[in-house]
């Protein structure tokens, strides 16, 4: 049953203009402007005694790769052009979204996306075309599966799927698989492709045979996919779209009656199975919200309804272009998703001239029970991206076992992994020091795929270019709320 604008307005009036609807949902408190401030410069003692946050200042790396707080260290798990697959080829480049799984004998399995777009000839290290695991032999992208021993040493790496394009983000499932999304709308005959792209595929890290003869999950739609999460209680899948002209959409897929999730079940569905819908928001006064950038204060709460997608396979018109103004709510660069606290954390990386209001990042929390969307994090426009400490462009996210969020920065200038506490304050975890530009014009690649090991002891993350997977360990501790 849809939540009507009138119902939401009535409920908001009873709870104080809607803000009280957020309740205690989510990990991030509504601290206006806190997330837009520079990262704190306090030392490690400040964090240890509970009066500060984080782990202290970042210490430059003599190796010129990763600055970390005192007491932390990193290990390179894979590196394009250096480490090799079990089959002998180089680790593919452009690491992106990553999921972790419990492996055999205490190991950790990671599925690592490789965001490679276009023909294979465009890339020195595409995902190898492993027999039986190829969707489109013309495409460069795919996923690899990485095994890490209990002591943190790399064990091996192999292809999980090949012949896909622009594998950006994705998400783990409750049944132990990885859903990888293609951030493209290329059709057969475009950019050298021999099949249509823009789909979600399922990768099973535990069973190499399960991925043979890859089939897209067409029921989830064909568009520029980013991340996906599964509601383990209701069975819905939520998906983000990174697109502009017009801005992208936030989607919900409802499974058909009687469908039961499990390994390999999604790929057995027909292309029109279930219902794919895009979200439509309205404020506490019942007014339609055309774009999420309209929210300029943390704590903003919108009611959410869902509108069915007319043609999910986008045979003639891109999905987001099938809706006219006033039918759905849009947002620029809808990227990271993470399921926790009974709902989905949703990232909009930034908004510029294509959007009604500019910002340098938002994180929202969607509560499926209340059918509300609450703004938890807001980054104002960063005036000096080259200055260390300023933050912009959140992308992939994960919920930390030590409280709050871990966020990968994909902005301009200096790039960080940073944390956000329960009460909205931020602190640095790592800084990319690998300059892939020049001394006169430095350039630092984005961080991608932050995710903790199943035991919570290791934070895995990637530097996208050239393609480096890192394992970060240290004196992790719960981040306390401000007194």
């Amino acid at each position: 049953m849809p939540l009507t604008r009138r119902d939401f307005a009535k409920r908001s009036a009873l709870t104080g203009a809607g803000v009280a609807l957020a309740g205690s949902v989510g990990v991030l408190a509504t601290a206006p402007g806190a997330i837009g401030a520079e990262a704190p410069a306090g030392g490690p003692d400040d964090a240890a005694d509970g009066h500060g946050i984080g782990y202290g200042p970042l210490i430059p790396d003599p190796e010129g790769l990763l600055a970390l707080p005192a007491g932390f260290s990193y290990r390179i798990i894979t590196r394009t052009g250096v480490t090799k697959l079990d089959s002998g080829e180089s680790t593919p480049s452009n690491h992106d979204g990553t999921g972790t799984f419990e492996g055999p004998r205490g190991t950790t399995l990671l599925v690592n996306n490789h965001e490679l777009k276009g023909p294979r000839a465009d890339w020195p290290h595409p995902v190898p075309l492993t027999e039986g695991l190829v969707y489109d032999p013309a495409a460069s992208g795919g996923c690899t599966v990485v095994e890490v021993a209990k002591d943190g040493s790399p064990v091996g790496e192999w292809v999980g799927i090949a012949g896909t394009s622009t594998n950006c983000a994705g998400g783990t499932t409750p049944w132990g698989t990885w859903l990888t999304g293609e951030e493209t709308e290329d059709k057969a005959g475009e950019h050298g492709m021999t099949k249509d792209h823009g789909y979600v595929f399922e990768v099973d890290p535990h069973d190499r045979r399960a991925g043979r003869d890859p089939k897209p999950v067409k029921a989830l739609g064909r568009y520029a996919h980013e991340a996906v999460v599964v509601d383990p209680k209701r069975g819905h899948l939520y998906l983000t779209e990174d697109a502009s002209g017009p801005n992208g959409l936030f989607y919900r897929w409802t499974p058909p009656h009687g469908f039961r999730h499990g390994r390999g079940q999604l790929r057995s569905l027909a292309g029109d199975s279930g219902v794919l819908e895009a979200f439509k928001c309205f404020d506490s006064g019942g007014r339609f919200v055309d774009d999420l950038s309209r929210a300029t204060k943390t704590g903003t709460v919108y009611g959410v309804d869902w509108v069915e997608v007319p043609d999910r396979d986008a045979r003639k018109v891109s999905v987001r272009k099938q809706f006219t103004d006033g039918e759905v709510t849009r947002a620029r660069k809808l990227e990271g998703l993470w399921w926790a606290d009974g709902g989905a954390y949703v990232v909009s990386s930034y908004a510029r001239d294509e959007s009604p209001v500019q910002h340098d990042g938002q994180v929202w929390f969607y509560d499926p029970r209340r059918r509300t969307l609450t703004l938890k994090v807001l980054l104002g426009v960063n005036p000096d991206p080259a200055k260390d400490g300023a933050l912009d462009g959140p992308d992939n996210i994960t919920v930390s076992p030590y409280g709050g969020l871990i966020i990968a920065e994909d902005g301009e200038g200096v790039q960080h992994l940073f944390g956000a506490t329960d009460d909205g304050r931020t602190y640095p975890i790592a800084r990319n020091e690998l300059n892939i530009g020049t001394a006169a014009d430095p350039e630092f690649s984005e961080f991608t795929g932050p995710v903790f090991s199943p035991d919570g002891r290791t934070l895995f993350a990637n530097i996208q270019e050239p393609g480096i997977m890192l394992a970060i360990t240290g004196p992790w501790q719960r981040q306390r709320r401000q007194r």
Side-chain angles (χ1 to χ4, degrees):
M1 178 180 178
L3 175 66
T4 67
R5 288 179 292 176
R6 181 176 299 175
D7 291 340
F8 181 67
K10 287 181 179 178
R11 191 184 303 178
S12 299
L14 292 172
T15 53
V19 175
L21 286 175
S24 60
V25 170
V27 294
L28 292 179
T30 54
I35 200 80
E38 292 185 13
D45 290 341
D46 293 335
D49 66 11
H51 297 298
I53 59 169
Y55 301 97
L58 302 179
I59 300 173
D61 180 8
E63 301 298 323
L65 181 59
L66 193 70
L68 293 168
F72 282 79
S73 62
Y74 69 86
R75 187 169 194 164
I76 295 174
I77 303 301
T78 68
R79 184 167 187 158
T80 303
V82 177
T83 59
K84 294 185 180 298
L85 305 180
D86 294 354
S87 50
E89 301 94 340
S90 167
T91 293
S93 65
N94 292 64
H95 297 28
D96 212 294
T98 306
T100 57
F101 307 84
E102 291 185 2
R105 300 175 299 281
T107 63
T108 296
L109 298 176
L110 301 99
V111 183
N112 189 201
N113 280 356
H114 297 278
E115 190 181 13
L116 300 165
K117 181 180 175 65
R120 299 181 62 78
D122 291 351
W123 301 96
H125 302 292
V127 177
L129 298 177
T130 302
E131 184 180 359
L133 300 178
V134 180
Y135 170 66
D136 180 353
S140 307
C143 301
T144 54
V145 182
V146 180
E147 186 173 10
V148 178
K150 194 172 183 179
D151 65 1
S153 60
V155 175
E157 183 180 16
W158 59 91
V159 172
I161 189 172
T164 52
S165 176
T166 327
N167 297 73
C168 192
T172 59
T173 68
W175 51 93
T177 63
W178 172 254
L179 299 176
T180 180
E182 295 185 299
E183 189 193 342
T184 180
E185 297 181 55
D186 285 348
K187 291 183 177 181
E190 296 176 352
H191 301 110
M193 299 298 98
T194 65
K195 290 186 177 181
D196 291 349
H197 292 268
Y199 294 115
V200 171
F201 295 79
E202 187 169 20
V203 178
D204 191 334
H206 305 278
D207 185 355
R208 303 192 193 195
R209 298 168 300 175
R212 298 191 69 82
D213 186 22
K215 290 181 171 58
V217 185
K218 292 189 175 183
L220 301 180
R222 195 182 70 81
Y223 48 88
H225 282 275
E226 273 286 341
V228 54
V229 295
V230 181
D231 179 342
K233 182 177 180 180
R234 300 164 186 85
H236 294 122
L237 272 65
Y238 294 92
L239 309 101
T240 49
E241 177 184 30
D242 181 3
S244 60
N247 284 345
L249 306 175
F250 181 45
Y251 298 93
R252 180 183 73 177
W253 178 78
T254 302
H257 180 72
F259 177 78
R260 297 187 66 178
H261 283 296
R263 277 189 166 90
Q265 293 304 303
L266 287 172
R267 63 179 277 166
S268 70
L269 291 169
D272 59 353
S273 294
V275 180
L276 183 67
E277 299 164 298
F279 80 150
K280 180 178 184 178
C281 297
F282 41 92
D283 64 18
S284 59
R287 294 175 292 269
F288 168 69
V289 179
D290 62 338
D291 194 283
L292 291 185
S293 67
R294 297 285 186 189
T296 58
K297 293 182 179 179
T298 54
T300 297
V301 181
Y302 293 145
V304 176
D305 208 346
W306 298 93
V307 183
E308 187 168 353
V309 171
D311 173 21
R312 73 182 83 181
D313 204 44
R315 290 182 290 271
K316 294 183 179 180
V317 179
S318 296
V319 171
R320 70 186 185 282
K321 297 178 180 179
Q322 296 171 24
F323 297 98
T324 59
D325 292 344
E327 287 189 289
V328 293
T329 299
R330 302 183 183 277
R332 183 71 173 99
K333 286 193 73 66
L334 286 167
E335 303 235 18
L337 274 175
W338 195 268
W339 185 271
D341 306 307
Y345 289 92
V346 188
V347 173
S348 171
S349 288
Y350 63 76
R352 293 292 183 265
D353 292 341
E354 78 290 325
S355 303
V357 181
Q358 295 190 17
H359 62 74
D360 260 338
Q362 297 175 328
V363 180
W364 297 81
F365 181 81
Y366 175 67
D367 183 339
R369 185 173 65 86
R370 291 184 172 95
R371 287 176 288 174
T372 55
L373 189 73
T374 303
L375 182 58
K376 297 292 186 178
V377 174
L378 176 62
L379 283 76
V381 175
N382 186 349
D384 188 3
K387 181 181 178 181
D388 188 23
L391 304 170
D392 60 274
D395 195 323
N396 296 155
I397 59 171
T398 188
V399 171
S400 170
Y402 304 95
L405 296 175
I406 305 296
I407 302 173
E409 190 176 9
D410 177 17
E412 301 176 16
V414 182
Q415 305 294 321
H416 301 87
L417 288 172
F418 64 96
T421 65
D422 289 355
D423 53 0
R425 295 175 294 162
T426 62
Y427 58 93
I429 295 173
R431 180 179 64 243
N432 178 10
E433 296 194 326
L434 181 62
N435 182 7
I436 58 175
T438 64
D441 187 16
E443 180 182 353
F444 301 92
S445 177
E446 66 180 281
F447 280 104
T448 63
V451 60
F452 277 90
S453 58
D455 63 9
R457 296 179 180 178
T458 303
L459 175 64
F460 293 96
N462 311 302
I463 295 175
Q464 186 173 70
E465 295 180 45
I468 304 173
M469 177 183 287
L470 301 159
I472 302 170
T473 54
W476 301 110
Q477 63 184 18
R478 182 161 294 279
Q479 299 298 313
R480 301 181 184 182
R481 295 181 64 91
Q482 192 171 24
R483 295 173 183 174

